[in-house]
Amino acid sequence: MMNEKLILALDQGTTSSRAILFNKSGEIKFVSQKSFEQIFPTPGWVEHDPNEIWSSQISVAAEVIAKAGISGLEVAAIGITNQRETTVVWDRHTSEPIYNAIVWQDRRTSKYCDELKSQGHTDEIKQKTGLVLDAYFSATKLKWILDNVEGAREKAEAGDLCFGTVDTWLIWKLTRGKMFITDVSNASRTMMFNIRTMDWDDDLLKLFNIPRAILPEVKQSSEVYGETSTTLFSTKIPIAGIAGDQQAALFGQMCTKPGMVKNTYGTGCFLLMNTGNEAVYSKNNLLTTVAWKINGEVSYALEGSVFVGGAAIQWLRDGLKIIHDSSEVSTLAETVEDNGGVYFVPALTGLGAPYWDQYARGTIIGVTRGTTDGHIARATLEGIAFQVYDIVKAMEADAETQSTELRVDGGASASNLLMQIQSDLFGFKIIRPKTLETTALGAAYLAGLAVGFWESIDEIQSQWIIEKEFTPKEDKTKIDNMVSFWHKAVKRSQAWIED
């Protein structure tokens, strides 16, 4: 048995549910993970079974407690972080979902979004929510369920249904329906929440035809919301932290001051810049979002997404078959001194921010007789780094600030070569922390702060440990030349599909 108290982070992701126990030093003590089914009913549709989300999450929570050989008495608090925008609707009385969860990747409401654009609602939605009008967010998914599940709209009007993002669903289940809540970071991703008034917006609810009775109460990201009521833990445990996955990673990276930026190098790349207590509206196709609310104070962020980050490396492995394992890409790229004039724009599913071109396609350009698989590998790593560069430059323009460092996490951040390329491009430090599980760590920190496990953000800051720093080594003239060629390559890839 351990006598030190721990924080339990529940990290509910798109493909798996994880539970991680952290100690007072912010170190991972035990981890448990379980995948669950991805459901594709028809092309462009993506769903999850909400009961499977719950069962996978609660089973890893039980497993990690068992691995640690502790009881609920040793858990100081629970923090929750989750896949964002994914939409769950359930019966308030039976707690049974009325339809599968519609996942953030789902595109079934794209045409409806196009109709709203043609009616001129784009600016109103951006001003109120900070978001672009897109099927990505929860509002149109919720409307679809109310319009397409028999009897759903009548039940919703009567106050018999609950809508939630995944955090809300998990907390409802953990408390057996006693708590129907979300936090500001998740609410700000629904396209129904006004990030100025910090409340659900009546005009938008009217536009989407969504009754207010279906919506959860919006709380801070760090406060004691209540206690667990399940029989899983031998004692009641405070639930004390909630944040959407990217905001949790921003907090886990301790990007707590305006101008600080983090990038998660996953399948795609998610960049967030803390803009402090000011909601900065983007002129460069970025999203404005709530980062968190702690002790009554709201912090905002700018967000940009790269659709294809680590997925480009997976394509080298599965499509081109020039590597057997993703970890081999750096070794192959290091067989050449530079890219040999080859540029790869990884627009395999179109281009994300700041271009937002769904008709762009992947482009490898500058190929000669002397081009080798090493040049392709290097151009792939550079293609990921260039996309990140473009978003940070857009953020700097919007926030009217210059970045001095980038904090990194996610699978591809383990590549020293990619991180060195990134540092050379920016001409500033790239910082990789010791703990790369920054999403779960952020949720743990938010929960721990609320119960006094950690006294202050300053105390947490002091335990944030750097594993490696990368500083620029390349000549600036050469970098400027590369950036110029990159932008030429992007132009060649844009609007490729004419449909």
Side-chain angles (χ1 to χ4, degrees):
M1 288 289 287
M2 305 169 66
N3 13 9
E4 66 165 341
K5 285 236 178 188
L6 301 168
I7 298 280
L8 174 60
L10 303 182
D11 181 356
Q12 205 300 301
T14 308
T15 56
S16 70
S17 297
R18 291 189 305 160
I20 304 181
L21 284 165
F22 291 92
N23 68 9
K24 192 100 168 57
S25 307
E27 295 165 334
I28 294 172
K29 299 304 288 180
F30 298 93
V31 184
S32 185
Q33 179 165 352
K34 188 175 184 181
S35 296
F36 56 89
E37 190 189 357
Q38 306 295 304
I39 303 163
F40 307 104
T42 189
W45 292 28
V46 190
E47 297 178 357
H48 293 156
D49 175 351
N51 284 324
E52 196 186 359
I53 288 177
W54 163 245
S55 63
S56 63
Q57 189 62 75
I58 205 66
S59 70
V60 290
E63 193 176 282
V64 86
I65 297 273
K67 271 186 190 174
I70 59 173
S71 73
L73 290 166
E74 280 95 349
V75 179
I78 293 172
I80 292 172
T81 182
N82 54 284
Q83 51 166 317
R84 302 173 305 172
E85 298 96 17
T86 295
T87 298
V88 189
V89 180
W90 64 94
D91 186 293
R92 192 183 284 271
H93 310 291
T94 65
S95 297
E96 274 303 306
I98 66 162
Y99 189 78
N100 276 340
I102 302 183
V103 181
W104 58 273
Q105 299 154 314
D106 189 282
R107 303 303 298 170
R108 76 186 64 182
T109 59
S110 293
K111 278 201 170 64
Y112 172 60
C113 289
D114 289 340
E115 283 169 31
L116 291 176
K117 285 176 192 167
S118 67
Q119 291 162 16
H121 294 292
T122 305
D123 285 346
E124 176 196 6
I125 285 170
K126 183 178 177 176
Q127 285 309 310
K128 290 184 168 192
T129 68
L131 306 175
V132 296
L133 176 42
D134 195 86
Y136 178 31
F137 306 106
S138 317
T140 62
K141 302 178 195 302
L142 171 54
K143 178 182 165 33
W144 188 93
I145 292 174
L146 295 183
D147 288 344
N148 289 277
V149 175
E150 198 178 336
R153 189 162 286 288
E154 293 72 22
K155 277 185 156 183
E157 301 285 358
D160 293 330
L161 295 184
C162 296
F163 151 78
T165 41
V166 171
D167 55 310
T168 304
W169 169 241
L170 292 179
I171 291 168
W172 177 274
K173 297 291 280 183
L174 280 167
T175 62
R176 295 189 169 179
K178 289 196 183 79
M179 281 196 282
F180 181 37
I181 61 169
T182 187
D183 91 301
V184 291
S185 73
N186 280 293
S188 79
R189 311 296 296 188
T190 60
M191 215 157 68
M192 296 179 279
F193 186 76
N194 189 317
I195 63 171
R196 293 178 171 190
T197 64
M198 298 303 285
D199 191 11
W200 301 115
D201 190 277
D202 288 325
D203 293 336
L204 294 179
L205 296 183
K206 195 173 167 189
L207 175 66
F208 298 120
N209 195 12
I210 289 163
R212 200 179 244 267
I214 201 172
L215 303 174
E217 185 184 350
V218 182
K219 299 282 203 176
Q220 300 193 89
S221 311
S222 176
E223 63 173 287
V224 178
Y225 312 109
E227 296 175 322
T228 56
S229 313
T230 57
T231 51
L232 168 71
F233 309 109
S234 56
T235 180
K236 293 181 187 305
I237 302 172
I239 302 169
I242 312 171
D245 53 11
Q246 299 309 323
Q247 288 97 326
L250 189 70
F251 197 75
Q253 286 279 29
M254 282 287 100
C255 292
T256 54
K257 295 188 176 68
M260 294 181 81
V261 189
K262 76 92 195 170
N263 183 34
T264 300
Y265 293 84
T267 305
C269 294
F270 285 92
L271 286 102
L272 270 76
M273 174 190 273
N274 186 324
T275 61
N277 55 17
E278 188 192 349
V280 174
Y281 286 87
S282 178
K283 298 182 185 75
N284 295 288
N285 293 322
L286 304 177
L287 305 178
T288 306
T289 199
V290 177
W292 49 73
K293 184 178 181 182
I294 301 172
N295 296 329
E297 199 170 307
V298 179
S299 290
Y300 294 92
L302 278 168
E303 178 176 323
S305 314
V306 170
F307 293 158
V308 175
I313 299 169
Q314 291 162 359
W315 176 71
L316 294 187
R317 182 193 67 199
D318 306 333
L320 284 192
K321 295 183 168 50
I322 59 173
I323 52 173
H324 295 293
D325 189 84
S326 296
S327 60
E328 295 167 15
V329 68
S330 296
T331 313
L332 181 56
E334 281 169 333
T335 60
V336 293
E337 275 180 33
D338 55 33
N339 63 20
V342 177
Y343 289 81
F344 176 20
V345 183
L348 309 182
T349 55
L351 282 170
Y355 303 103
W356 290 107
D357 183 350
Q358 60 184 333
Y359 301 111
R361 284 297 175 268
T363 305
I364 299 176
I365 203 160
V367 178
T368 67
R369 281 291 301 271
T371 300
T372 67
D373 52 0
H375 292 116
I376 303 285
R378 192 172 188 100
T380 303
L381 293 179
E382 288 177 357
I384 297 167
F386 277 125
Q387 291 179 102
V388 172
Y389 172 89
D390 283 342
I391 291 180
V392 172
K393 289 298 166 194
M395 285 178 170
E396 289 179 345
D398 283 333
E400 297 178 354
T401 180
Q402 290 293 305
S403 302
T404 55
E405 64 176 44
L406 176 68
R407 297 188 172 189
V408 300
D409 55 67
S413 70
S415 164
N416 288 346
L417 179 58
L418 175 57
M419 295 303 100
Q420 185 57 53
I421 291 167
Q422 197 73 80
S423 178
D424 289 338
L425 280 183
F426 281 125
F428 58 62
K429 277 188 303 193
I430 304 295
I431 299 175
R432 188 168 66 202
K434 190 175 173 200
T435 301
L436 289 178
E437 295 287 356
T438 53
T439 303
L441 183 59
Y445 281 157
L446 289 166
L449 275 175
V451 296
F453 188 80
W454 291 289
E455 288 301 314
S456 64
I457 289 176
D458 287 344
E459 184 192 339
I460 294 171
Q461 193 86 51
S462 69
Q463 59 174 238
W464 189 81
I465 299 166
I466 294 170
E467 185 258 322
K468 194 170 173 64
E469 273 190 10
F470 299 85
T471 52
K473 291 180 179 168
E474 201 55 82
D475 172 62
K476 189 178 181 311
T477 313
K478 182 180 176 184
I479 293 299
D480 289 346
N481 186 46
M482 286 171 68
V483 170
S484 160
F485 271 99
W486 161 254
H487 288 139
K488 267 173 83 171
V490 170
K491 281 198 180 75
R492 302 289 197 281
S493 77
Q494 284 182 290
W496 184 256
I497 302 296
E498 290 170 1
D499 177 23

